Amino acid sequence: GQQVMQIPQYQHVQEGEDFTTYCNSSTTLSNIQWYKQRPGGHPVFLIQLVKSGEVKKQKRLTFQFGEAKKNSSLHITATQTTDVGTYFCADENSGGSNYKLTFGKGTLLTVNP
Amino acid sequence: DTGVSQDPRHKITKRGQNVTFRCDPISEHNRLYWYRQTLGQGPEFLTYFQNEAQLEKSRLLSDRFSAERPKGSFSTLEIQRTEQGDSAMYLCASSSPNSGDGDTQYFGPGTRLTVL
C-alpha cells in the first residue's frame, strides 16, 4: 500500500541553526499535509500542499511540494526552542469515500538553547 | 485546544479485559477518524465515519476492535480481550468538507492505553 518515507528520523540542532525534513513516496501523492506533535502532545495541523511545485511559507517555516508530487520538504530557518517536536508529513487519499491520512514516521527535532 | 475531546486520557488495564474509549468531535464536523500511534511512529489509520456510517476500516482493526458513532456525533472505540500489543495512544480526529479549511483533520489529545 501507500508508504510515505521521512528522513532524517532525528535531528539535533543548536538554536539559530536551520532544519529541514524530507518526505518521499514511490507513488504520486494526492496532497501533502504537515503536522507538528510536541512531546506528550497530539498532532497539530500546519499546512496542506496540493499543487505540483507549490511553495508555502509560515513565518520561519517553508513548505515545498515536488514537481512530480512524489516528495515534499519542510524547512525551518533559525530554529528556536519552541520548534522542538516531531514533524510528520501525511498523504491524504482523497478518492471516493476514503479520506484517511497516511503518515510518515516523522522527524524528531531537538533544539539546544 | 482544537475542540476534539477524548476520554479517558489514560487507561491502564490487565490483559484480557475490555476497554472503551470515547471521542467527542468538533460539533459541526461530520467526519470522524480513529488512529493508533505507538512510540516512534506516525499515527496509523484505524477507521473513518461520515455521520453515523462507518465507511472504512483498516486491516489493523482486528475483530476484537469495534467502533460506533450511533447518532453521528460522539464515537466510541471498544477493544475486547486486550493484549499487550494493543498498548498505544489512540487518537481521534474530526473534519468537515464544509468548514472552509480544506477538510483539515483536527486531532484530540488521545487516550493512552497500557495493557499489563
Side-chain angles (χ1 to χ4, degrees), chain A residues 37 42 97-101, chain B residues 35 37 45 48 56 105 108:
Chain A
Q37 186 171 23
H42 57 275
S97 61
N98 182 354
Y99 291 91
K100 71 180 184 182
L101 293 173
Chain B
Y35 292 83
Q37 186 177 27
F45 171 81
Y48 155 62
E56 182 165 352
Q105 293 187 28

Side-chain angles (χ1 to χ4, degrees), chain B residues 20-49:
Chain B
T20 300
F21 310 140
R22 176 181 170 122
C23 170
D24 286 88
I26 294 172
S27 58
E28 62 269 24
H29 285 184
N30 63 340
R31 291 177 176 157
L32 187 146
Y33 315 78
W34 285 97
Y35 292 83
R36 181 171 67 188
Q37 186 177 27
T38 54
L39 197 62
Q41 303 293 318
E44 294 176 295
F45 171 81
L46 293 178
T47 191
Y48 155 62
F49 290 85

Side-chain angles (χ1 to χ4, degrees), chain B residues 66-100:
Chain B
S66 62
E68 295 182 341
R69 195 183 183 197
K71 298 180 180 179
S73 56
F74 74 91
S75 175
T76 57
L77 177 67
E78 181 183 19
I79 309 174
Q80 295 182 328
R81 305 180 303 281
T82 52
E83 302 172 356
Q84 288 183 326
D86 297 331
S87 296
M89 176 75 84
Y90 290 83
L91 292 161
C92 176
S94 71
S95 73
S96 171
N98 304 315
S99 60

